[in-house]
């Protein structure tokens, strides 16, 4: 349903669109089955970042906010609703991670 | 002096009789905003103002209300009343109030002034004018009241700047911006009806009773003083909806759609109130659940909606989700505030054992099972010299802008994830309600100023937490853990040196 | 706190008044006298009054209990909130009820 507006044309760009982040994009990561961390994290990550760098530089320091997190224990990855096997040396873009993608894992 | 007219005639003479029909300017040009929303009004004179308040009576009683409030403020300040609060941490609730609610009063003042100019009918214009002045009074009395605490406690400065910038305050701010940027009739349904009539009791009544219970007489007094105006505002909301429904049958589906939208928007904002009610009042008075059952389920769903059924209006869409959340809402939201208070202008702490027991008694089905273990864990971390914080930024809901901590209906352990792809871009939501609101008007919500996204775009002072906090206007001592904080140590010092018996 | 009232019962209307003055005490007493079925709850700083169907505040009763002239507009100094529809507000009485 369109916005009912006083003008005939009501068109504005998204304030969170990918181009505002240059070569980077936003990526959401959710630790399933964990109630300590209250929500998924949002990261700004280069599209060209490798999975292993993403994991050790971004995901694990965040997951480690919960002292029960054991580095390397994340498993059963899901990308945008589909099971997914991350390959450490491939980039986020190559793995199909897009702007505001949701990555889920269990431990 | 001439004999006073009876109330009804006096009201007519001072309100309706000062109205005129424009003769040499097209009415469409005088009132350009009341047609584009699709609402049809055939006879503006059918508007009833049950309070029949006139300018002279308005001034007289508002002056009396202020006189009473300022007598309380003076007495409280002179007697060092802040030392008789239940605990210093109580004031965190009032910090949230001045940062989150007071700026909304000012926004309401501005927009009701706009309605006082742009509604076609004299009755609703006058009601909007009174409300505009009321809202300005509320803004001023709240600032004045809480300035008493600003002398002694951190977190009360810079609230206006914070309202524009800080992540959790974007929740109430974006709610009101959404209403103000709608047309005048949607604004009336959004603010006057859905917020003031349906939900405002949940904010003011139990909360201000809580203020009274915790020794905060000034806040209780401004709260009830504001709320006494609120009963007029509620009447405006109810009158607006009845008037619009009676004017044209074609208005009914438009109004229903707005009720559906604004109930959910308002309910999500009220989530902050749920956390304040259950966790931020050291002396407990009424749980969020009990307040919700009494003021919303009994009074609104049980009383109001059967009345509106006459016009074909149904209870709001997604209301069953709100009812389903009453056992979990406050716990989820305070857990968010606890782990993000390093980036807030208030402090949080693990509830005391007596508070945990009270929460168990109020929430027997959920608290011990889901939430007490989290607090036990947080306490253990603290006993080991740490403090649990979320080291990062959270995913936010594109509609309500709250971190996406809400859970699937009926399953308090699974975070709810919804998303919609619009123009090739993905947008995330905390609930079916927020997703539905977005999908009605995606062109509007794609523009949302999402605090986390803005930080990552470099628009909030810099990439590091200290830079963002500086840009927010949050100073050392405003934020973080309560135990050992400036306010906590001051409070202990002030009470340790107080003479026995005081 | 008393227990939450049962959800299923005749539709009530009600007002919450500030518990702040002699005036309010007289108004509460007047409401109780004119609405025999009223249920009154005391909360911190607040008096909650609920009645089935209809609630009336009569000027004459308030004046009698207050011992001075009282305008119905003065009710605005006492009221915190209400639910129901303000059906009548004139010089002599205030009536709150549902319309349908």
């Amino acid at each position: 349903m369109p916005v009912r507006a006083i003008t005939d044309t009501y068109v504005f760009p998204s304030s969170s669109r990918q181009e505002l982040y240059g070569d980077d994009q936003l990526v959401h990561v959710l630790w399933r089955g964990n109630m300590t961390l209250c929500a998924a994290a949002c990261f700004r990550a280069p599209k060209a970042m490798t999975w292993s760098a993403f994991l050790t530089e971004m995901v694990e320091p965040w997951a480690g906010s919960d002292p029960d997190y054991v580095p390397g224990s994340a498993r059963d990855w899901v990308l945008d609703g589909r099971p997914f096997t991350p390959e450490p040396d491939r980039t986020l873009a190559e793995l199909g991670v897009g702007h505001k993608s949701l990555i889920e894992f269990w431990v | 002096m001439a004999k006073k007219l009876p109330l009804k005639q006096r009201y007519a003479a001072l309100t309706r009789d000062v109205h005129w029909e424009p003769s040499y300017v097209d009415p469409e040009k005088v009132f350009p905003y009341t047609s584009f929303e699709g609402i049809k009004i055939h006879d503006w004179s059918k508007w009833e103002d049950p309070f029949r308040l006139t300018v002279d009576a308005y001034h007289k009683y508002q002056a009396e209300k202020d006189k009473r409030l300022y007598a309380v403020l003076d007495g409280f300040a002179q007697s060092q009343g802040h030392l008789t609060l239940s605990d210093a941490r109580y004031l965190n609730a009032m910090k949230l109030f001045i940062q989150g609610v007071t700026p909304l009063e000012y926004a309401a003042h501005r927009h009701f002034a706009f309605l006082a100019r742009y509604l076609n009918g004299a009755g609703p214009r006058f009601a909007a004018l009174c409300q505009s002045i009321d809202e300005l009074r509320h803004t001023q009395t709240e600032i004045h009241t809480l300035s008493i605490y600003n002398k002694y406690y951190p977190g009360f400065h810079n609230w206006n700047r914070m309202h524009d910038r800080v992540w959790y305050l974007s929740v109430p701010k974006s709610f009101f911006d959404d209403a103000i940027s709608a047309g005048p009739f949607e604004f009336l349904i959004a603010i006057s009806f859905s917020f003031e009539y349906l939900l405002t009791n949940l904010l003011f009544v139990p909360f201000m009773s809580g203020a009274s219970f915790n020794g905060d007489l000034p806040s209780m007094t401004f709260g009830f003083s504001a709320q006494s105006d609120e009963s007029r505002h509620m009447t405006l909301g109810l009158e607006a909806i009845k008037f619009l429904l009676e004017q044209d049958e074609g208005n009914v589906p438009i109004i229903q759609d707005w009720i559906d939208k604004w109930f959910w928007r308002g309910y999500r904002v009220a989530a902050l109130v749920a956390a304040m009610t259950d966790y931020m009042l050291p002396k407990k008075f009424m749980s969020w659940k009990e307040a919700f059952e009494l003021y919303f389920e009994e009074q609104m769903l049980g009383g109001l909606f059967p009345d509106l059924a006459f016009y074909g209006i149904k209870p709001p869409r997604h209301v069953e989700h709100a009812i389903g959340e009453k056992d979990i809402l406050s716990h989820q939201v305070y857990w968010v505030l606890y782990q993000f208070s390093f980036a807030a202008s208030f402090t949080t702490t693990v509830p005391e054992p007596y508070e945990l027991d009270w929460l168990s008694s109020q929430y027997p089905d959920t608290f011990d099972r889901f939430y007490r273990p989290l607090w036990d864990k947080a306490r253990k971390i603290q006993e080991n010299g740490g403090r649990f914080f979320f080291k990062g930024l959270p995913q936010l809901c594109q509609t309500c802008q709250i971190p996406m901590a809400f859970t699937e209906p009926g399953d308090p352990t699974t975070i709810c994830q919804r998303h919609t792809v619009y123009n090739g871009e993905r947008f995330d939501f905390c609930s079916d309600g927020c997703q539905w609101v977005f999908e009605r008007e995606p062109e509007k919500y794609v523009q949302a100023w999402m605090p986390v996204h803005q930080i990552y775009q470099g628009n909030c002072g810099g990439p590091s937490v200290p830079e963002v906090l500086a840009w927010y206007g949050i100073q050392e001592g405003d934020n973080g853990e309560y135990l050992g904080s400036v306010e906590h140590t001051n409070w202990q010092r002030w009470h340790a040196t107080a003479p026995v018996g005081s | 706190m008393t227990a939450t009232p049962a959800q299923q019962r005749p539709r009530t209307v009600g007002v919450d008044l500030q518990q702040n003055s002699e005036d309010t005490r007289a108004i509460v007493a007047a409401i109780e006298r004119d609405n025999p079925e009223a249920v009154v709850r005391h909360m911190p700083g607040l008096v909650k009054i609920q009645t089935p169907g209809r609630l009336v505040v009569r000027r004459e009763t308030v004046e009698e209990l207050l011992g001075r002239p009282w305008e119905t507009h003065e009710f605005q100094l006492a009221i915190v909130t209400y639910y129901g529809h303000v059906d009548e507000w004139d010089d002599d009485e205030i009536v709150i009820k549902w319309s349908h």
Side-chain angles (χ1 to χ4, degrees):
Chain A
M1 198 173 86
V3 169
R4 274 185 199 266
I6 194 135
T7 54
D8 293 333
T9 49
Y10 184 94
V11 182
F12 298 94
S14 156
S15 303
S16 301
R17 61 195 189 277
Q18 193 277 322
E19 69 192 60
L20 297 170
Y21 301 88
D23 294 330
D24 300 347
Q25 60 189 5
L26 300 181
V27 182
H28 294 125
V29 180
L30 176 59
W31 179 354
R32 283 287 185 195
N34 172 295
M35 286 179 75
T36 304
L37 292 162
C38 65
C42 178
F43 300 105
R44 174 176 174 156
K47 292 180 204 171
M49 194 178 212
T50 62
W51 176 262
S52 62
F54 179 62
L55 189 64
T56 52
E57 292 168 27
M58 294 191 173
V59 177
E60 295 214 306
W62 160 71
S65 318
D66 181 343
D68 292 339
Y69 179 74
V70 179
S73 63
R75 58 177 170 80
D76 298 338
W77 296 92
V78 173
L79 170 63
D80 293 332
R82 292 180 306 279
F84 148 77
T85 311
E87 295 153 76
D89 298 331
R90 300 187 72 189
T91 65
L92 295 178
E94 286 166 359
L95 289 166
V97 176
H99 184 48
K100 293 195 247 171
S101 268
L102 174 68
I103 297 172
E104 299 164 78
F105 69 88
W106 296 79
V107 297
Chain B
M1 208 171 101
K3 194 179 174 309
K4 242 178 158 181
L5 289 169
L7 205 148
K8 280 182 194 174
Q9 278 108 302
R10 205 158 75 235
Y11 173 75
L14 286 171
T15 306
R16 302 298 173 98
D17 288 1
V18 296
H19 175 78
W20 68 89
E21 294 299 332
S23 56
Y24 57 89
V25 179
D26 178 3
E28 277 285 310
K29 288 202 170 120
V30 182
F31 304 110
Y33 302 116
T34 41
S35 53
F36 77 89
E37 296 176 273
I39 291 288
K40 292 192 178 61
I41 306 293
H42 304 290
D43 184 359
W44 279 94
S45 74
K46 289 281 194 293
W47 177 284
E48 277 289 334
D49 179 8
F51 275 96
R52 301 204 180 92
L53 193 62
T54 53
V55 166
D56 54 337
Y58 178 75
H59 285 170
K60 182 177 156 190
Y61 291 112
Q62 296 304 93
E64 178 63 26
K65 286 179 191 177
D66 268 11
K67 216 169 76 190
R68 291 181 183 183
L69 172 64
Y70 282 93
V72 171
L73 297 192
D74 288 349
F76 193 80
Q78 281 169 5
S79 66
Q80 297 297 310
H82 75 94
L83 293 174
T84 62
L85 294 173
S86 60
D87 192 16
R89 73 196 152 98
Y90 156 77
L91 288 172
N92 285 306
M94 300 321 294
K95 294 173 200 170
L96 251 187
F97 191 94
I98 195 169
Q99 297 158 10
V101 179
T102 301
L104 299 189
E105 308 263 24
Y106 186 69
H109 153 66
R110 292 180 59 185
H111 206 72
F112 278 103
F114 173 88
L115 295 188
R117 159 63 184 85
Y118 283 110
L119 292 176
N120 306 50
R125 271 211 309 276
F126 186 69
L129 180 66
C130 288
Q131 181 157 353
S132 174
I133 303 169
D134 289 342
E135 304 287 3
L136 188 58
R137 183 178 87 89
H138 300 173
T139 312
Q140 291 170 335
T141 54
E142 287 164 19
I143 295 167
H144 206 148
T145 302
L146 293 169
S147 72
I148 293 175
Y149 298 121
N150 184 42
K151 285 184 193 164
Y152 305 105
Y153 300 88
F156 283 100
H157 60 97
N158 258 344
W159 47 270
N160 209 12
R161 169 170 159 187
M162 289 176 191
H163 187 75
D164 283 339
R165 299 184 174 191
V166 179
W167 60 275
Y168 57 95
L169 299 171
S170 82
V171 175
K173 180 186 165 68
S174 62
F175 164 80
F176 222 90
D177 285 354
D178 191 350
I180 282 179
S181 54
F185 295 116
E186 183 176 343
F187 178 85
L188 281 174
I189 298 302
I191 300 303
S192 299
F193 177 73
S194 302
F195 196 67
E196 305 261 24
Y197 199 95
L198 284 187
L199 296 168
T200 195
N201 282 326
L202 289 171
L203 171 61
F204 278 97
V205 184
F207 191 63
M208 292 308 161
S209 267
S212 146
F213 217 38
N214 282 275
D216 186 4
L217 294 183
S219 297
M220 182 203 78
T221 311
F222 86 60
F224 285 153
S225 179
Q227 193 68 20
S228 67
D229 297 340
E230 219 74 30
S231 52
R232 256 190 291 110
H233 305 170
M234 291 167 70
T235 305
L236 173 59
L238 192 57
E239 198 48 51
I241 195 167
K242 291 195 169 186
F243 172 72
L244 296 176
L245 292 169
E246 282 168 8
Q247 280 293 309
D248 196 287
E249 212 155 306
N251 293 344
V252 175
I254 302 176
I255 303 286
Q256 178 75 55
D257 203 47
W258 286 339
I259 293 173
D260 292 348
K261 169 182 171 183
W262 287 99
F263 163 72
W264 189 259
R265 292 286 278 127
Y267 166 72
R268 270 292 180 251
V269 173
L272 286 170
V273 184
M276 292 198 304
T277 310
D278 280 347
Y279 283 87
M280 297 174 95
L281 301 176
K283 280 197 178 173
K284 309 299 180 189
F285 151 64
M286 181 190 261
S287 70
W288 164 259
K289 181 183 176 183
E290 186 180 356
F292 186 85
E293 287 173 345
L294 180 59
Y295 284 100
F296 184 72
E297 288 187 73
E298 183 183 340
Q299 298 190 173
M300 296 305 147
L301 292 180
L304 172 68
F305 277 95
D307 217 47
L308 295 177
F310 172 80
Y311 303 100
I313 291 291
K314 298 189 294 284
R317 194 185 284 249
H318 300 117
V319 72
E320 72 286 357
H321 289 205
I323 295 169
E325 282 185 350
K326 68 187 175 188
D327 280 304
I328 59 177
L329 184 70
S330 64
H331 314 298
Q332 292 182 337
V333 174
Y334 194 71
W335 187 239
V336 174
L337 298 181
Y338 178 80
Q339 59 193 277
F340 283 104
S341 64
F342 64 90
S345 189
F346 55 79
T347 63
T348 55
T349 193
V350 176
E352 300 275 335
Y354 79 89
E355 296 180 283
L356 297 175
D357 291 344
W358 180 82
L359 290 165
S360 296
S361 72
Q362 297 295 311
Y363 297 96
D365 298 335
T366 52
F367 188 73
D368 285 353
R369 203 168 147 206
F370 301 114
Y371 308 109
R372 189 187 277 268
L374 295 175
W375 292 116
D376 289 345
K377 184 169 172 174
R379 181 194 306 279
K380 216 160 92 193
I381 294 171
Q382 223 149 331
E383 283 166 1
N384 292 331
R387 169 60 156 90
F388 169 57
F389 286 123
F390 187 110
K391 296 196 188 80
L393 302 180
Q395 182 187 28
L396 300 180
C397 172
Q398 185 76 23
T399 302
C400 70
Q401 307 198 8
I402 298 174
M404 288 197 14
F406 298 110
T407 46
E408 288 288 350
D411 177 6
T413 63
T414 301
I415 298 286
C416 183
Q417 285 275 343
R418 298 286 182 273
H419 73 270
T420 296
V421 175
Y422 176 74
N423 275 351
E425 182 176 347
R426 174 184 170 126
F427 295 92
D428 300 294
F429 310 100
C430 69
S431 55
D432 293 335
C434 280
Q435 183 177 32
W436 179 82
V437 169
F438 175 92
E439 288 180 350
R440 284 178 74 252
E441 296 173 307
E443 309 93 322
K444 189 168 191 179
Y445 295 99
V446 297
Q447 303 167 65
W449 193 90
M450 306 290 288
V452 167
H453 303 173
Q454 293 297 321
I455 289 170
Y456 280 138
Q457 284 173 35
N459 295 333
C460 304
S464 72
V465 171
E467 288 166 306
V468 173
L469 295 187
W471 184 78
Y472 281 173
I474 291 174
Q475 298 169 359
E476 183 73 33
D478 292 338
N479 57 334
E481 165 60 36
Y482 172 72
L483 297 178
S485 66
V486 176
E487 55 195 344
H488 182 224
T489 43
N490 279 344
W491 180 261
Q492 288 183 317
R493 195 162 49 85
W494 291 334
H495 285 81
T497 56
V500 175
S502 66
Chain C
M1 283 313 314
T2 52
T4 305
Q7 299 299 312
Q8 297 303 323
R9 60 179 199 185
R11 277 164 81 205
T12 57
V13 294
V15 290
D16 293 13
L17 302 178
Q18 287 188 63
Q19 196 168 40
N20 64 345
S21 64
E22 286 301 317
D23 287 12
T24 310
R25 255 194 283 279
I27 295 169
V28 173
I31 293 175
E32 285 186 285
R33 185 186 292 186
D34 290 331
N35 302 272
E37 291 183 273
V39 175
V40 180
R41 296 170 73 180
H42 290 267
M43 308 201 247
L46 195 70
V47 187
K48 186 169 187 62
I49 307 169
Q50 296 175 290
T51 64
R54 182 174 185 275
L55 186 148
V56 61
V57 185
R58 285 206 185 87
R59 178 179 55 79
E60 279 186 356
T61 317
V62 177
E63 288 185 335
E64 189 193 325
L65 291 168
L66 209 51
R68 66 164 176 86
W70 183 79
E71 293 181 11
T72 52
H73 268 320
E74 286 186 60
F75 193 58
Q76 297 194 39
L77 295 171
I79 188 169
V80 172
T81 183
Y82 73 100
Y83 68 109
H85 173 65
V86 179
D87 194 57
E88 186 55 85
W89 189 308
D90 66 15
D91 294 295
D92 298 319
E93 63 177 12
I94 301 164
V95 177
I96 300 174
K97 67 184 190 63
W98 294 112
S99 315
H100 303 292

